[in-house]
Every structure is written in C-alpha cells, then in structure tokens.
Amino acid sequence: MRKLSTMLLLARCGRALVTPAAAAARRGRALSAAPTSFPLSSSKAVKVEYGGAASDYAGDLLLLPFWSDKDIDVGAATIAQGWDAAFGGALTELAESQEFKGKKGEAHVLTVPGRLQGVRKVALVGLGPKDKAIEGYAALGKAVADIASKEKASSVGVAAPSRSRDAWTYGEHVEAVALATFEGCYVDDRFRTGDNVKNPPKLSSLELVDEPMNVDDVSPDDAYAASLEEGPQETVVSEAAERARAYAQGSSFAKDLVNAPPNVLTPRTLAIAAVELAKEHATLECTIKGPVECAALGMGAYLGVAQGASSDNEAQFIHLTYKRGVPKTKLAIVGKGLTYDSGGYNLKPSAGGMIELMKFDMGGAAATLGCAAAVASLEVPDCEIHFIVAACENMISGEAVRPGDVLTASNGKTIEVANTDAEGRLTLADALVYAEKLKPEAIVDLATLTGACIVALGDDVAGVFTQSDELATELSSASKKAREQVWRMPLPDAYEEQIKSKIADLVNVGPRAGGAITAALFLGHFVDDVPHAHVDVCV
C-alpha cells in the first residue's frame, strides 16, 4: 500500500477523487484540485554535540547555568570563575545587581565588549532546585531557544551547571536540554505572510561543555575523574540528542496537524499526511479506508457522525502499522480524529462553546500520528504498534445524524444518539472494535473527549480511565518520564445505568454530572478482552 501514490491510494478508498469536483460543479461553485500533500512547517536543524572544555568555547553565546541558592557566588563557580575573571568581575556584578538566585526561568545576559574567543554574549541562567533536576535541564533547554532567538545567536554553548560538573555524562540530562531546545525553536509560519512571519531562531549548533579534568583536583577513586578518563560524553550527548530529535519531530508533526485550520486539515488531508509519513519510514505501512470500505465493516457509529459532511470531506479511516524486528510487544493506539466539530444539530454556542477552536478536536489523532513519527524515527526494536484514526467532520446538513437516531456499531451494539455533540465516542467505538480485532496486548485511546474532564482536572492534567491496574501503572510511569501529568479516574459500575437507553443498547450521553466517567464507560462497551485505557486529553 505504501508503494501506491497518494492519488491512487485515496482514489481506491471509497469514492473516487473526481467525485468532489463533480459534486461542486453540480452545486455551481468552483473547487480547486484535490490536495495531494499536507503542508508542514519548516524548521532549521540544530546540531547538538559535546564541545569539551568550557574555557575553549568560541561560539556566539555561552550559557552558565546555576541551581537555585539564596547566596550564589558566581565568581567561585568552577566554570564561571574563569569567564568572570576575563571580564574583570562583570559576571559577579551582573549577578549582584540583578539579585540572581538561580530561580527556574531566571536569565541575565552580559554583552562581551569586542568579543572574547568569538563569544559576544554570556548569560547567567537559573534552573531552580537541584532536587528537581530534569525540570531544571528542561528549563535550560527552553532558555537556549529563547535567548538565542532574542540575541540572534547561531551558535550556543551550555556549560555544565554549578555543582553538576558531570552533567553531560547522563543521557536524561542531555535529552531534556536538547528536547526543550528543539521544541523552543518550533515556529509555524505556514499561514502568515509579510511582516507577520515569525521566523524561527537562527540557532544552528548547540555545544554542551564542561570543565576539563585536572587530576590534581581529584582523588584517584573520584567517580567523575574515572568517567572523564573513559570519555563517555561524546557518545552520551550524541545518542541522547538523537532521541530528543525523534521526540521533537513527532511533537512538531502533531503541532502542525493541530495548528492547521479545518479548511486545510480535512479528513482527506489528514489521511494524506499519514500516507506521506509512511513513505518516509520503511518500518511504517499505511492503509486508508473510505466510507464504502468502512460500511462493509459495519462501522455505523463512525459513519453516522461523518454522514453530515460534504463529499469533499468524507470519512477517512487511517491505519498506520509500525513493525521492526521480531515483535515481542504488540500495541494499538487510537486517536480521536474530528478535524472539525460543529456539534451537529446540537450546535455548539458562539459564546463559550469554542466553536471557532474546534479544529483541535483531532488532538488525539495528532498525538497518535506524532507518536508514530517518533517511534519510526527512534527505530524502536522488536515491536508492532498500530496507530488508528477514524477521521471525519461533525457537521449539519440534510444527511446529518439527528438527535434521536439509532446507530449500529461494528460489534453489533445499537446506540441512541441523544446528543450529536457527543460524537467523538461514536467514532472511537468503531475504531476500538477494529483495534481489538488486531489482537494487541493493550489498547490506549487518546481523545479530546469531554469538557467534564477539564472541570475535574483543569487544563494541564489528563484523565486516565482503565480497569487494568497494570496499564494504569505503565501510563503513569510513562507520563512522569515525559513530564506530563495524568490522574487515574474512577469507573464505578453504578454509573453504567446512566448510559442505558430505553430503545437501544446504549445512549451516547449521560447526565452532566460525571460526564467524563460515563463517556469512558461508554467506550468500554467496545473492547471486550484486551486491556484498554482511555486518556481524556481535553484542554
């Protein structure tokens, strides 16, 4: 399937590509040629490497990071003291005048008169408390991007923080700095012109530097001296930077999808983006199913939501498969893919309904495809992962689903549609049935599903709903490594009564109270035997 051109692939998935043009002609309006690609933002690649001794650094900008302390003596810090002496104590004066305490996000820049070794700017950067090291290193990476952009620096050096001279011997430290730097350089100018264009930072190289080993300063059994003799930094920095680059590429891809307006990112162009992603990686294969093929699979819940959209924007069921080596692990990740959600006949209100922002209702799909991009770039060994998105729009038309209609999902269960704005769970229902048929070890769905979850947990914490303690533990562990916040939510059996219909098997919405819980319970009816977790990422 990956060997087919995008045009041929989409043409065989349901209706032919000429159908939208013919339909547009009948409606008496012009239609541009069917899209053959999805536009991605452009960003400059930043090279990250170990640069050796800080005293030898010769780039545009040097960052000297410090952990928070009520009494920071810049002149006494091993790396900073040499530069401070060269500047006649100017760094010490800067720290004192600004009352520098090393708080996370704190930064003060010194301009070097006439440059020194090519360096024209030196910055004191705060990392916050040392017992929150990974957060501090992430803050350092953000400072790299922010200060480089403001100072128009193309090359930046980052010294090992005070009291952490072995910083670059730990991959997690390097990864946090590099990832935050890459993400801080992300700029989306695809829909801006002229003076409104916000060009990405000029940053092209990042060197991580430290102090040189002096055997006279350490005892023979000093662990740091031993580590320097072995010289691990170059390898550690190189490998960690490449991991960070893969994560950043996945993140940027997801951002490009979410940021695109709904007239650009339609179900069709979301499918094209997935096909193009698969073409870039030999370990990815992509298949797209159109309405005809989905109907043959009995996906009545998904197609019920999609039927209100125009033929230009018909349903596209996306299935990306990653496979490398002999799989020891098999997973399925399902993302909600409403490229635009008007609410249907239960139309979202103009005031407070965020109707103008409903392009983000495919955030789960963006995260899913971004994950596929990262996994493929990382070349994760010995696993098989299925990335599934039931992409469509939720619109109003003469063919749209109505409140009171009854739909039949692909597992045979019937659903009374009490509210057309509770559409995401209908599309996910058929996607979950499809995913379970692949016989994975676990299924995780990601969905901007309910406003009720925002009320419960706020904007920064995702709700995790699962009956599996093991899966909940794994997701919690993964979220901590990714510096994301999740919270496991209850699934009380008693709430099942709230999604029982008087005329069908299920009703697609329960009462307002506990709405995030009843939505998760509803999804549970479409996975029988495989451990499943629903992650409500509504923001």
Side-chain angles (χ1 to χ4, degrees), residues 59-97:
D60 293 333
L61 169 67
L62 176 65
L63 270 59
L64 302 175
F66 290 81
W67 302 109
S68 60
D69 196 320
K70 62 180 180 180
D71 294 310
I72 291 179
D73 186 350
V74 171
T78 307
I79 294 178
Q81 64 181 351
W83 290 90
D84 188 45
F87 300 148
L91 287 175
T92 297
E93 292 179 10
L94 177 65
E96 291 175 351
S97 66

Side-chain angles (χ1 to χ4, degrees), residues 54-183:
S55 57
D56 296 331
Y57 180 70
D60 293 333
L61 169 67
L62 176 65
L63 270 59
L64 302 175
F66 290 81
W67 302 109
S68 60
D69 196 320
K70 62 180 180 180
D71 294 310
I72 291 179
D73 186 350
V74 171
T78 307
I79 294 178
Q81 64 181 351
W83 290 90
D84 188 45
F87 300 148
L91 287 175
T92 297
E93 292 179 10
L94 177 65
E96 291 175 351
S97 66
Q98 299 295 327
E99 297 184 351
F100 180 58
K101 301 297 183 185
K103 295 178 181 178
K104 187 170 73 172
E106 189 178 4
H108 306 289
V109 180
L110 174 71
T111 300
V112 180
R115 291 180 178 256
L116 180 66
Q117 294 183 191
V119 177
R120 60 184 177 86
K121 302 275 186 178
V122 177
L124 303 178
V125 178
L127 305 182
K130 192 176 180 181
D131 59 359
K132 296 183 178 179
I134 298 301
E135 291 182 18
Y137 286 110
L140 178 56
K142 183 178 185 301
V144 170
D146 290 347
I147 300 174
S149 178
K150 183 177 180 181
E151 303 297 337
K152 296 180 172 54
S154 61
S155 56
V156 175
V158 177
S162 61
R163 296 178 285 132
S164 300
R165 61 184 183 174
D166 59 346
W168 312 139
T169 64
Y170 294 93
E172 60 266 33
H173 298 169
V174 177
E175 187 179 300
V177 173
L179 178 57
T181 298
F182 296 149
E183 291 185 335

Side-chain angles (χ1 to χ4, degrees), residues 38-39 188 190-191 255-265 339 359 362:
F38 174 73
D188 187 356
R190 291 173 296 168
F191 310 107
K255 290 174 184 176
D256 282 353
L257 294 174
V258 172
N259 287 344
N263 61 320
V264 172
L265 187 76
T339 60
K359 66 178 185 179
M362 43 65 64

Side-chain angles (χ1 to χ4, degrees), residues 142-466:
K142 183 178 185 301
V144 170
D146 290 347
I147 300 174
S149 178
K150 183 177 180 181
E151 303 297 337
K152 296 180 172 54
S154 61
S155 56
V156 175
V158 177
S162 61
R163 296 178 285 132
S164 300
R165 61 184 183 174
D166 59 346
W168 312 139
T169 64
Y170 294 93
E172 60 266 33
H173 298 169
V174 177
E175 187 179 300
V177 173
L179 178 57
T181 298
F182 296 149
E183 291 185 335
C185 290
Y186 175 83
V187 174
D188 187 356
D189 277 325
R190 291 173 296 168
F191 310 107
R192 300 188 183 103
T193 62
D195 293 339
N196 293 315
V197 171
K198 299 179 180 179
N199 293 310
K202 294 172 59 179
L203 181 63
S204 60
S205 69
L206 172 62
E207 291 186 34
L208 303 182
V209 296
D210 54 24
E211 60 180 289
M213 183 187 74
N214 185 336
V215 294
D216 295 330
D217 294 337
V218 295
S219 60
D221 61 347
D222 187 288
Y224 177 63
S227 73
L228 289 182
E229 288 172 354
E230 295 168 4
Q233 290 98 321
E234 287 189 13
T235 300
V236 169
V237 170
S238 176
E239 292 178 352
E242 286 312 300
R243 287 196 302 273
R245 194 179 308 280
Y247 296 142
Q249 287 171 346
S251 175
S252 294
F253 186 54
K255 290 174 184 176
D256 282 353
L257 294 174
V258 172
N259 287 344
N263 61 320
V264 172
L265 187 76
T266 65
R268 187 177 295 266
T269 49
L270 184 59
I272 289 172
V275 171
E276 291 178 336
L277 177 63
K279 287 181 177 181
E280 295 176 5
H281 301 278
T283 51
L284 285 177
E285 292 187 359
C286 185
T287 59
I288 311 293
K289 302 182 190 302
V292 173
E293 289 156 304
C294 291
L297 293 173
M299 296 183 175
Y302 165 44
L303 294 178
V305 175
Q307 69 192 37
S310 71
S311 56
D312 304 17
N313 299 328
E314 63 189 13
Q316 301 286 300
F317 192 92
I318 302 165
H319 180 186
L320 270 170
T321 303
Y322 171 85
K323 189 173 182 180
R324 186 169 186 267
V326 179
K328 297 177 182 177
T329 302
K330 185 176 180 180
L331 304 172
I333 301 176
V334 179
K336 177 185 170 184
L338 269 292
T339 60
Y340 185 74
D341 177 21
S342 70
Y345 276 105
N346 292 104
L347 185 68
K348 293 180 182 293
S350 297
M354 298 192 293
I355 191 169
E356 75 282 3
L357 299 177
M358 280 300 126
K359 66 178 185 179
F360 72 40
D361 216 14
M362 43 65 64
T368 297
L369 298 183
C371 182
V375 167
S377 294
L378 288 167
E379 297 185 336
V380 179
D382 302 327
C383 68
E384 179 178 325
I385 308 176
H386 298 270
F387 303 92
I388 297 163
V389 175
C392 66
E393 292 184 336
N394 183 24
M395 300 295 288
I396 297 174
S397 73
E399 296 181 354
V401 67
R402 296 155 295 204
D405 283 357
V406 174
L407 305 175
T408 303
S410 48
N411 64 348
K413 292 191 177 181
T414 57
I415 306 161
E416 177 189 1
V417 180
N419 189 318
T420 61
D421 196 24
E423 83 300 326
R425 66 202 70 181
L426 298 174
T427 66
L428 288 170
D430 283 325
L432 290 170
V433 173
Y434 180 93
E436 186 170 33
K437 289 179 179 177
L438 300 171
K439 298 180 179 180
E441 296 169 30
I443 301 171
V444 176
D445 79 72
L446 307 171
T448 52
L449 204 65
T450 68
C453 201
I454 300 176
V455 174
L457 298 177
D459 291 334
D460 299 325
V461 183
V464 173
F465 300 81
T466 181

